[in-house]
Amino acid sequence: MPEPFYFPIHSGLLSPEHREQIGAAIWEFIWFISKTTKEFQEGDERLGIVLGGKPIKHAEIAIDLGVSESTVKNHVNRLKKYKYIETKRAPYGEIYYVKNSKKFKPKRQARNGLSLNERKVKNDLSETRDRQNFTERQTKNGLCNKDIKDIKKEEEEVLMINSSDFQKIADKFIQRRAKGLVLSKMDEAAIYRLLEDHIPLDKVLFLIDKIFDEYKPKHRLDYIAKFEYVEKGVLDRYHKEKKKASNLDALDEIAKKYEME
């Protein structure tokens, strides 16, 4: 059972209309909100992506909520029907999005509803400043520090991890581990961290094979159980290779210099 944690739910759900439409599916909807990891803008709507875009099976939700898969399936269909969630089919489940997601505190907004990333700033009138494009606000020396930080945060919020890469890494680990078909929350978090290091996918998959090939179990119960072990191994080997390549490039440069002389 994962460690309990607090998360916000918008008070707008406490209305007769939502109560009637969501009904018994409220627990599945709360589950989706709790698992929302990022939000991004799509047209006029803000979508929350569940578990970073990881494909999810009804069985996973059923285990967490202590109900049957058929119950989860019916409730998920209800949430789709009334447009509380959207889904995309994937080979190993569905990718879920919470519509009109309000889990995270939104960026400051202008009076006309434009986001900071859409408004320009003028120094004389605050109202005009709110309406202007944020990215064009400049001081005499260019963007101020606060502007740069806000732009960076905006970019980080929009960033979404490629769920296809996640699944390929997860499949490779499960295949090589050969001990069960379910990843733990810690395994998933370690895969997400590795994706955020921007190591080429083919290199990650190659290094996973290498780690398992080089591992020498001492007995039949000795095996690589956690992806954290693989995560460290991939990082160690990748950065060692980069350093070696960098040293070779430096030697080449020195050799070329002597040849020219």
Side-chain angles (χ1 to χ4, degrees):
M1 188 74 180
E3 189 71 22
F5 60 94
Y6 293 99
F7 61 94
I9 297 179
H10 199 271
S11 62
L13 286 173
L14 303 176
S15 71
E17 178 187 4
H18 289 308
R19 181 178 181 277
E20 182 177 347
Q21 290 180 351
I22 297 176
I26 185 64
W27 298 109
E28 283 76 7
F29 190 47
I30 291 175
W31 188 91
F32 287 126
I33 294 173
S34 75
K35 302 297 183 182
T36 296
T37 53
K38 290 182 184 293
E39 292 178 348
F40 63 98
Q41 199 71 27
E42 188 173 88
D44 296 331
E45 193 165 46
R46 192 158 184 82
L47 297 179
I49 186 166
V50 178
L51 289 177
K54 169 188 174 292
I56 301 168
K57 295 181 179 179
H58 290 145
E60 297 176 58
I61 305 173
I63 290 171
D64 278 1
L65 297 181
V67 296
S68 67
E69 286 187 49
S70 60
T71 296
V72 169
K73 184 177 180 180
N74 289 336
H75 290 169
V76 166
N77 287 337
R78 184 182 184 93
L79 294 172
K80 289 182 189 177
K81 175 183 176 182
Y82 289 107
K83 303 187 186 307
Y84 287 97
I85 61 172
E86 285 183 358
T87 64
K88 288 182 181 178
R89 292 294 305 169
Y92 298 92
E94 290 184 283
I95 299 170
Y96 289 89
Y97 303 89
V98 176
K99 300 192 68 176
N100 196 26
S101 179
K102 295 179 180 179
K103 179 178 180 181
F104 303 110
K105 186 177 180 180
K107 290 286 185 179
R108 294 196 306 275
Q109 293 188 331
R111 295 177 188 178
N112 59 3
L114 294 177
S115 67
L116 280 175
N117 205 35
E118 298 170 322
R119 70 193 189 202
K120 295 180 181 177
V121 177
K122 290 185 179 179
N123 293 326
D124 52 348
L125 293 174
S126 61
E127 185 175 4
T128 303
R129 180 172 65 247
D130 286 343
R131 287 198 299 265
Q132 301 305 313
N133 191 314
F134 168 75
T135 59
E136 292 182 12
R137 184 171 71 199
Q138 293 184 343
T139 63
K140 292 180 181 179
N141 296 321
L143 288 173
C144 66
N145 289 336
K146 184 179 183 304
D147 293 348
I148 294 170
K149 288 179 182 178
D150 282 343
I151 290 173
K152 187 176 180 181
K153 285 182 70 176
E154 184 82 4
E155 290 172 347
E156 289 172 350
E157 286 182 358
V158 173
L159 177 66
M160 291 193 306
I161 294 172
N162 189 315
S163 60
S164 174
D165 289 356
F166 175 96
Q167 199 60 51
K168 288 175 183 176
I169 294 172
D171 289 346
K172 172 66 73 173
F173 176 66
I174 291 171
Q175 174 196 359
R176 292 307 307 260
R177 181 180 64 179
K179 297 283 183 180
L181 301 175
V182 179
L183 294 178
S184 70
K185 300 300 181 187
M186 292 181 67
D187 290 334
E188 292 175 359
I191 294 176
Y192 284 130
R193 289 196 301 268
L194 201 55
L195 285 169
E196 289 170 353
D197 287 317
H198 302 295
I199 301 173
L201 177 64
D202 58 346
K203 176 61 70 174
V204 172
L205 299 177
F206 171 78
L207 290 175
I208 291 175
D209 277 330
K210 193 171 183 180
I211 290 165
F212 275 94
D213 290 341
E214 293 176 356
Y215 189 77
K216 305 298 182 186
K218 301 179 183 65
H219 49 75
R220 62 184 175 82
L221 296 179
D222 180 20
Y223 64 95
I224 300 174
K226 298 180 180 180
F227 193 86
E228 285 178 309
Y229 179 90
V230 175
E231 175 191 17
K232 183 179 183 302
V234 169
L235 290 173
D236 288 344
R237 287 165 173 78
Y238 179 70
H239 287 288
K240 185 177 180 180
E241 288 181 12
K242 279 185 68 176
K243 185 176 180 180
K244 183 178 179 181
S246 177
N247 290 338
L248 289 174
D249 289 342
L251 289 173
D252 286 342
E253 288 296 323
I254 294 172
K256 288 177 182 177
K257 182 179 178 182
Y258 279 107
E259 287 174 5
M260 291 174 65
E261 292 177 352

